[in-house]
Amino acid sequence: MKQVFPLPGRPLWSGLSPAAGAAVMAAGILSVGMHLIGREVLSLAALVLAAALWLVLAAAFVERLVADRGRFRAEADTPAALTGVAATTVLGTRLSQLGWQTLAAVLLALATVLWPWLLLAVIRNWKRRMPGAVFLVCVATEGLAVLAATLAAALHHDWLAQAALGAFCLGLLLYAVALVHFDFREVVRGAGDHWVAGGALAISALAASKLTASPVWTGSAHTALRWATLVTLVLSLGWYALLLAAELRQWRPHYDIRRWATVFPLGMTAVACLSASAPTGVGWLSPLGEVLLWIAAGAWLLTFTVLATHPGRRQP
């Protein structure tokens, strides 16, 4: 067990596990969502928090790479390590929305370099029954698709859109493989990361919606992407309903750092609905997404409040 906060005299990031990357993802996707509904002050506040947390985690990554190789290798083999890739792509997506395309492109390059190495390390250590973090192989891959598609639209680079399509298709394949390894008992006993089962489909729907909106794809390709958006979104909403029902049936109020992996799917499902509404022509997805976004914001505030008022809480 590791302390949530470091011991006196140790760096801020010394006690953080890779699972803390979900906190960056949660704040980052809330920033993206708040921007989509025009709540710019809240969006920028969430962005500042996400960026600050990302810098702390980046410092932890570098410190362990340089000074603690044993711990670095042990953590790189766990699915939670892929939160670093996913968090980087979410942050880059929001920066692209601000018009900071160069910085967003740098983050895409960084995530792309880290992704194959971490992905292979994680897959090599898969077991027969895995917690919800197993779906991070899909989330990280689809995160690349989302950021690449976002930059393709902003910079008018067709090759980025094509790369995004490749990442989207690979992400769906990885989801299917992860589903085979997922321990479905986690639905009723998981510590929070079981929500990634639905969040992975939500980020897939977000990637598909951005590809659908791209002028690169026309005719049957556009139609196929529109249906891919709707199918993945409906499946993610189905997971949302199932997981929420399981939470209400088996109440788990205690704090665990993996609860940030609950907040992220809540926010991602909302953003997927908001983003899919226009390119799919399904108008009611937008108000649904706004409602879900405020639920995600409430979940973020609740999780943060529990952490802040119980600094002695521990993380796995």
Side-chain angles (χ1 to χ4, degrees):
M1 304 287 286
K2 303 182 184 83
Q3 292 285 347
V4 171
F5 298 102
L7 297 174
R10 299 186 65 184
L12 173 65
W13 51 82
S14 63
L16 291 174
S17 78
V24 182
M25 296 160 63
I29 201 61
L30 281 179
S31 179
V32 171
M34 290 298 172
H35 170 73
L36 292 177
I37 66 171
R39 302 283 183 166
E40 292 301 328
V41 173
L42 291 176
S43 177
L44 291 174
L47 174 60
V48 169
L49 179 58
L53 289 172
W54 186 90
L55 290 173
V56 170
L57 289 172
F61 181 91
V62 173
E63 180 197 45
R64 290 165 195 173
L65 177 62
V66 173
D68 194 348
R69 290 292 183 88
R71 180 178 178 182
F72 179 84
R73 286 191 293 268
E75 292 180 342
D77 291 342
T78 64
L82 286 167
T83 61
V85 175
T88 301
T89 60
V90 171
L91 182 60
T93 299
R94 181 64 185 99
L95 292 176
S96 179
Q97 288 178 329
L98 283 173
W100 297 357
Q101 310 306 340
T102 300
L103 185 52
V106 169
L107 291 179
L108 176 60
L110 176 60
T112 302
V113 169
L114 292 175
W115 169 76
W117 171 62
L118 290 174
L119 181 70
L120 291 175
V122 168
I123 290 177
R124 281 199 303 265
N125 289 275
W126 268 359
K127 299 178 178 61
R128 183 179 177 184
R129 291 181 174 178
M130 298 284 290
V134 70
F135 292 102
L136 285 167
V137 296
C138 172
V139 173
T141 306
E142 294 292 357
L144 293 175
V146 169
L147 181 50
T150 301
L151 283 170
L155 301 175
H156 307 291
H157 290 334
D158 290 356
W159 68 270
L160 270 176
Q162 293 162 357
L165 178 61
F168 167 69
C169 294
L170 179 58
L172 291 181
L173 176 61
L174 288 170
Y175 184 90
V177 177
L179 189 64
V180 174
H181 289 80
F182 179 53
D183 185 352
F184 282 88
R185 294 175 296 181
E186 291 290 298
V187 172
V188 293
R189 71 180 188 187
D193 58 351
H194 55 294
W195 277 83
V196 185
L201 285 173
I203 194 172
S204 300
L206 176 60
S209 72
K210 289 184 174 294
L211 290 168
T212 303
S214 172
V216 174
W217 317 110
T218 58
S220 60
H222 178 271
T223 301
L225 286 169
R226 178 179 180 274
W227 277 108
T229 302
L230 292 173
V231 169
T232 51
L233 186 55
V234 167
L235 290 174
S236 71
L237 289 170
W239 267 111
Y240 191 113
L242 173 64
L243 292 167
L244 180 59
E247 292 280 357
L248 295 175
R249 181 178 181 274
Q250 187 71 34
W251 187 241
R252 289 157 273 185
H254 59 282
Y255 175 79
D256 188 294
I257 194 170
R258 287 167 291 187
R259 270 304 176 193
W260 293 111
T262 297
V263 179
F264 172 72
L266 293 174
M268 180 55 72
T269 305
V271 169
C273 289
L274 290 167
S275 297
S277 179
T280 61
V282 182
W284 56 264
L285 286 174
S286 185
L288 173 62
E290 186 165 356
V291 171
L292 294 179
L293 183 63
W294 287 113
I295 292 174
W300 187 96
L301 184 60
L302 177 62
T303 305
F304 179 79
T305 300
V306 174
L307 172 61
T309 55
H310 297 82
R313 296 286 190 184
R314 294 177 180 269
Q315 64 181 11

